[in-house]
Amino acid sequence: RKEEAKVFLDRECLQDGQSWLAGFVKALVASMVVVPLLSWTEEDAGSVGELSRIGDRGFDRVDNLLLELILATALREEPAAAVQAVLPLLIGPARTAAEGGGFGAFPFHKLAGLSDEPSRATNAQAGAILRHLGLSEVKVQAVLGRSVKQVVGLVLRNQGVQASQWEGVEGVVAECGTRALKTVLQE
């Protein structure tokens, strides 16, 4: 029997005019391997760089990347869930053509600047989703108490793919896809 790997990329798979959140959660719940794109570029831009603003002078909001990370780690910890692994793709600042193009290394040293406080807005939305999915209140409460730094740290405990080690976007995607497929086949 031939198995087919299905890939969900939000900007390709979510339907115009449909609930982003419902489509996103449905895809995440059905995923065996979650590959979050974690970027931190110059001047604290990029998906993780933006998280460094949460907690700064009381600023908080629902952040879609943080929501994805919270849900992915919670589902990975749930024995009955489809999620078997979280394989982060780590992207540092873009290199100029003179520097050889591609991406620099992910700046792990900047992680210390992430908030030690939870994103109450994001964690509350994650808690509501996890309750809807049937996770126990004990597990939901554990998620609600996780700080931004703790959530990112949970994801980074997993072996990931450093975009800086591969040439061009195609090389990064091919490596990430290969490693995700190997993870699925090992399970």
Side-chain angles (χ1 to χ4, degrees):
R1 184 178 115 179
K2 184 179 177 182
E3 296 291 327
E4 182 178 304
K6 295 180 183 173
V7 177
F8 172 84
L9 180 60
D10 56 2
R11 76 175 95 153
E12 298 291 327
C13 297
L14 292 176
Q15 306 254 333
D16 289 341
Q18 300 298 315
S19 167
W20 172 87
L21 187 59
F24 167 76
V25 171
K26 181 179 176 184
L28 190 62
V29 167
S31 297
M32 290 183 74
V33 179
V34 177
V35 183
L37 306 180
L38 304 183
S39 61
W40 200 323
T41 59
E42 302 300 325
E43 300 178 20
D44 293 335
S47 62
V48 180
E50 291 287 327
L51 293 179
S52 67
R53 292 181 175 88
I54 294 177
D56 184 27
R57 290 173 268 166
F59 176 74
D60 194 14
R61 65 178 168 82
V62 174
D63 182 273
N64 292 335
L65 171 70
L66 187 58
L67 181 63
E68 176 183 9
L69 300 181
I70 292 168
L71 295 175
T73 55
L75 291 171
R76 172 64 181 102
E77 295 167 359
E78 186 65 22
V83 177
Q84 301 295 312
V86 180
L87 176 71
L89 174 55
L90 305 167
I91 304 168
R95 292 188 296 230
T96 66
E99 297 170 318
F103 301 99
F106 184 84
F108 287 98
H109 65 280
K110 290 186 172 188
L111 294 172
L114 294 175
S115 178
D116 288 316
E117 295 296 319
S119 166
R120 304 230 182 272
T122 307
N123 291 21
Q125 185 163 16
I129 292 167
L130 293 170
R131 282 184 192 100
H132 179 75
L133 294 174
L135 269 70
S136 73
E137 191 59 29
V138 170
K139 290 182 180 181
V140 171
Q141 289 302 316
V143 166
L144 293 177
R146 290 180 182 158
S147 72
V148 174
K149 189 183 292 182
Q150 287 172 322
V151 172
V152 174
L154 282 172
V155 172
L156 292 177
R157 284 185 193 165
N158 301 306
Q159 178 64 32
V161 176
Q162 272 271 17
S164 62
Q165 296 175 345
W166 309 98
E167 290 198 29
V169 173
E170 295 81 15
V172 172
V173 170
E175 178 63 19
C176 203
T178 299
R179 289 172 67 179
L181 187 55
K182 283 181 183 178
T183 301
V184 170
L185 293 174
Q186 289 173 356
E187 294 296 330

